[in-house]
Amino acid sequence: MTAIDGHGGELALAALRAFGVDELFTLSGGHVFPLYDAAHSTGLRIVDVRHEQSAVFAAEAVAKLRRRPGLAVLTAGPGVTNGVSGLTSAFFNASPVVVLGGRAPAFRWGAGSLQEMDHLPLVAPVTKEAVTVFDTDEIVAALHKAATTALTAHRGPVFLDFPLEVIFGAGRGELPAVQIPVIEPDPDEVAKAAGLIAAAQRPVIIAGSDVYGGDAIDALRAAAEALRVPVFTNGMGRGALPAGHPLGFAKARRVALGGADLVVVVGTPLDFRLGFGDFGEAKVVHVVDAPSQRATHVEPAVSPAGDLRAILTGFADHTGPREDHEDWIATLRQAEEKARARDAEAMASDADPILPARVYGELRQVLDADAVTIGDGGDFVSYAGKYLEPTTPGSWLDPGPYGCLGTGMGYALGARVSYPDRQVCVLMGDGAAGFSLMDVESLVRQKLPVVIVVGNNGIWGLEKHPMRAMYGYDVAADLQPGLRYDEVVKALGGAGETVSAPSGIGPALRRAFDSGVPYLVNVLTDPADAYPRSSNLA
Ligand SMILES: Cc1ncc(C[n+]2csc(CCOP(=O)(O)OP(=O)(O)O)c2C)c(N)n1
Ligand SMILES: [Mg+2]
């Protein structure tokens, strides 16, 4: 235990520093000045934005990428309400985000202070913990507990607010050692699951974000290699088995799920992205990082719960008899190669107007292996998921199952602050761009270069095409065609250009990555092109 004293802001940041927090994202408000004062005097980096949602999305990117708390500081009332979509995304994504809110003074609560509202009922349903700290002497303990909760599987965001007199007041606290509880899995369940995989004829593993969040990427690879099981990934799990790994697959999913006799889903929910866990005749093993994550709408053969590293290592260490999966792996490899050839053709398309596939064909040639790519949009981002193949785990950021448009600039900020030397590239729909482009100013002013590629089809494509298919017409789905989003970025101090011919994409992307400033490549794409999908609502 280390004793610390100071004002409320100093106590709060000292507690979070112990968890590796070394920056905060915010938009100014007097209710939280002591947190700025503490950051200013201790050298904790302050990154400020133009809308609170960007602050929380930035904190979420840090939490996702670095597996430690990402911190956003929001002023009382509207600051907090503007951050609610970010908190909700973090909740859906199991991101260990800490949001600190200002709060009107407690001593005259009810008298009508500026921005006086009780935030807790709003944020409680989308956080693991939401508390008001009423005593300056309790700040250190409250923050230590909150950060520990955020980092304990199943991870997620926490929210604390501080009445004005509490955060401005002086106090003291004792800083305990950081210790994140680990949930030990039931060894019988682990053994049962490993036995099922070994005995299966055609097993498949699908691994998701919690595998990265739980630092279990190596254990996943070891389990797959030991039991010879093909692996598909989603979310932050992408890149776990990089392209070229004999058990890594991305494009043969339909063949795999159609033919599998056992589907092992690790670290991701059995939600709409996975057909709600209905894999026909195949048995299901659902591996989760906490018992709370066991599916209630399907009955898996077994659902080991707890530390993913321990569970996957248990799989790797399985010693019983095992079936030979080599024919199955060869079948999937054939399907994978066929799909890869089809994709390569699409990505080379000379079609005019430009197809999104070509944008990704060009982008793949300029991206480094460890580039962080971020998707924010509809169809344009579905194509990014299809055509971009991250080879470094924890380098792909999508909004996750909450599907919130507007994450792009915040995620880019968080990624750039996390990795000053890696490429950071945001793929944005033109609709999505409208939510956050003003935060290019935050990037410019704070010298945080990123490349923004807008797939500019002049429509809310992922809504327009389905509505037309359903009703034969569409409303509220058009945007102004041909808009110069690159000029917006230029006006804010960055750079950019518009591309309308396929041959222009590659050179523009190279200029963008070489520029060293926020740079928007505005690619005019074909509004008639719709991402082929079977359903998008349920
Ligand atoms: C905050 C929010 N509002 C609305 C939606 C519904 N929505 C999902 S995709 C989409 C269209 C996105 O359009 P754009 O970013 O231009 O990408 P495109 O589909 O055209 O490639 C909309 C409106 C959402 N997911 N999130
Ligand atoms: Mg669009």
Side-chain angles (χ1 to χ4, degrees), residues 114-372:
L114 174 72
Q115 299 166 359
E116 181 188 275
M117 76 170 285
D118 183 12
H119 308 122
L120 301 196
L122 266 183
V123 302
V126 293
T127 52
K128 287 188 75 179
E129 182 177 293
V131 293
T132 297
V133 185
F134 283 104
D135 181 346
T136 312
D137 286 339
E138 284 173 9
I139 288 179
V140 171
L143 272 167
H144 182 86
K145 177 168 175 284
T148 303
T149 299
L151 287 169
T152 302
H154 190 61
R155 299 166 191 82
V158 295
F159 174 88
L160 299 90
D161 64 9
F162 312 91
L164 203 69
E165 68 273 34
V166 173
I167 196 81
F168 276 85
R172 57 189 320 282
E174 301 275 346
L175 208 54
V178 171
Q179 213 168 14
I180 309 304
V182 173
I183 304 170
E184 296 297 340
D186 176 342
D188 292 341
E189 290 182 345
V190 175
K192 181 175 177 192
L196 283 171
I197 302 170
Q201 306 287 323
R202 298 175 307 281
V204 174
I205 292 176
I206 300 177
S209 295
D210 295 336
V211 176
Y212 180 78
D215 202 1
I217 295 286
D218 290 345
L220 169 69
R221 215 176 288 142
E225 286 168 359
L227 294 169
R228 300 290 298 163
V229 186
V231 177
F232 293 78
T233 53
N234 69 15
M236 296 296 285
R238 299 188 71 197
L241 279 79
H245 189 289
L247 295 168
F249 293 86
K251 303 177 186 301
R253 196 180 273 233
R254 197 167 299 214
V255 179
L257 294 182
D261 63 346
L262 178 74
V263 180
V264 185
V265 176
V266 188
T268 190
L270 298 171
D271 62 14
F272 68 95
R273 294 171 299 175
L274 293 178
F276 301 99
D278 180 359
F279 304 114
E281 298 297 298
K283 280 192 198 139
V284 179
V285 170
H286 192 205
V287 179
V288 293
D289 65 1
S292 62
Q293 297 310 297
R294 287 189 169 125
T296 50
H297 59 283
V298 282
E299 234 167 273
V302 60
S303 186
D307 184 53
L308 294 184
R309 232 184 314 182
I311 295 170
L312 290 165
T313 304
F315 291 178
D317 292 345
H318 177 75
T319 49
R322 60 190 67 186
E323 289 295 322
D324 175 50
H325 304 145
E326 300 315 308
D327 286 350
W328 170 236
I329 294 168
T331 304
L332 295 186
R333 184 56 62 198
Q334 219 174 19
E336 180 87 6
E337 292 310 328
K338 218 164 121 186
R340 189 171 296 280
R342 265 201 312 271
D343 284 1
E345 206 174 302
M347 284 191 283
S349 164
D350 271 328
D352 190 358
I354 295 169
L355 297 178
R358 177 66 186 265
V359 179
Y360 295 113
E362 297 293 332
L363 190 60
R364 284 170 61 115
Q365 297 176 41
V366 298
L367 284 180
D368 297 337
D370 67 351
V372 179

Side-chain angles (χ1 to χ4, degrees), residues 37-59:
D37 181 56
H40 179 71
S41 62
T42 58
L44 185 139
R45 183 173 189 180
I46 297 173
V47 181
D48 66 301
V49 296
R50 303 292 294 257
H51 191 296
E52 285 84 0
Q53 75 164 6
S54 293
V56 183
F57 287 139

Side-chain angles (χ1 to χ4, degrees), residues 17 22-25 39 43-47 416-418 420 446-448:
R17 279 233 189 230
D22 55 20
E23 76 287 293
L24 65 82
F25 299 93
L44 185 139
R45 183 173 189 180
I46 297 173
V47 181
R416 172 51 74 223
V417 166
S418 296
Q446 292 164 105
K447 301 198 166 34
L448 299 166

